[in-house]
Amino acid sequence: MPDRLTGVLRGNLDVTGLGALLVVLLAVYAHYDSELFTPASITILSAQFLPLILAAMAQSTVMLAGGIDLSLGSVLALAMAVFAVRAEDGVLLAGVLALAAAVAAGAANGVLVAYAGLPPIIVTLAASFVWGGVTLVVLPKPGGAVPSGLVNAYNNGWNGIALPFVAIALVLVLWKAVRTTRFGLSLYAVGGNEHGAYASGIATRTVKIGTYAFAGVFIGLAGIGLAIQTGSGDATIGAPYTLNSIAASVLAGVSFFGGVGQMRATVLGALLIGLLTNLLLFTGMSPFYQLIVQGVVLIVAITVKTLATRERTD
C-alpha cells in the first residue's frame, strides 16, 4: 500500500508542484487585484486564458505523440478569421467552419509529418507560412464581426455562469474520454516508442495524422474563443500562442520525446503563464523587460523541475 501511494504521488508530482506555484502566484496577484476571487474577475480571467489553455492542450497532444507543432499559431489565427468572417451568417455555422478549417489544417500537417520523413519541427515550421498565407486570404486585415450578445456573455458571464470556465471543464472531459480509447492509448504508445508501437501492430502513421487532426479541434476552439473574446478577427494574432503553448507544455512535464505528460498539468502550466503575464502588467513594467522576466522565470522553473525529475529517477 505505501508503494502504491508513493507511485501515485510521484505520478502527480507535476500537478502538485504546479498547483503549489499557482497558489503562490495567486497570492501575489491578489495583492495587486483585491477583487481577484470575485465571480466577475474569475469570469474575465477565464475568458482571457481559455485560448492559451486550449492552445497548450493542442501542443501537448502533439508532443505526447512525439511531435511538435510550430504552425499552431497560424492555424489558430485561421480558425479565428473564419469564425469572425462568417459569424454574421450564424454562429453555429461559423463555429463548424472554423473547426473544420483547423482540423483539416491539422490533418494536413499530420500527413506531411507521417509521410515526408522529415522532423516535425521542420514540417510544421514550413506549414506555418502556408496557413499564415491562407489566413491573410480569408481576412487580409483585422475585421469581421462577432454578435455583441455573444461577446458580452463570453466575457461577463451568462446568467451567472462563466462560459469559458465551463468550456475548460468540457474539453478536459473530452480529453479524458479520448485518453482511454484505443486511439488515446496508441497516441501515448507511438510517443513513447514508435518502433515498438509499430511492431505491436499499431498503424503509427495513421495515429500521427489522427493526433494532429485531433489537436486541430483544440486549436479551432482556441481560435473561436479568441474571436469571441475580442469580437473580431486578426490574421497576425496567433504567433505568441505557439511559443507559449510549448512553454506551458514543457512546464507541465510533457516530454519533447513523447509518451510522458498529463493534460491537467498542462492546464495549470497555461494558467501560470497567463497569470504571470498579467502580473507583470500590473507592476507597470516595460513590455520589453516583461518578456525578459517571463523568459527567465520559465527557464528557472523548467530547470528546477528537470533537476527534480532526475533526482526521482536516480
Side-chain angles (χ1 to χ4, degrees), residues 52-66:
L52 176 57
I53 291 172
L54 290 170
M57 292 180 70
Q59 193 68 256
S60 290
T61 300
V62 173
M63 289 174 64
L64 286 170

Side-chain angles (χ1 to χ4, degrees), residues 182-219:
R182 179 179 177 82
F183 168 71
L185 296 173
S186 298
L187 186 154
Y188 271 85
V190 171
N193 186 341
E194 183 177 348
H195 296 294
Y198 180 79
S200 299
I202 295 175
T204 55
R205 284 178 172 173
T206 302
V207 171
K208 287 182 180 180
I209 296 171
T211 297
Y212 279 89
F214 181 63
V217 174
F218 292 137
I219 298 173

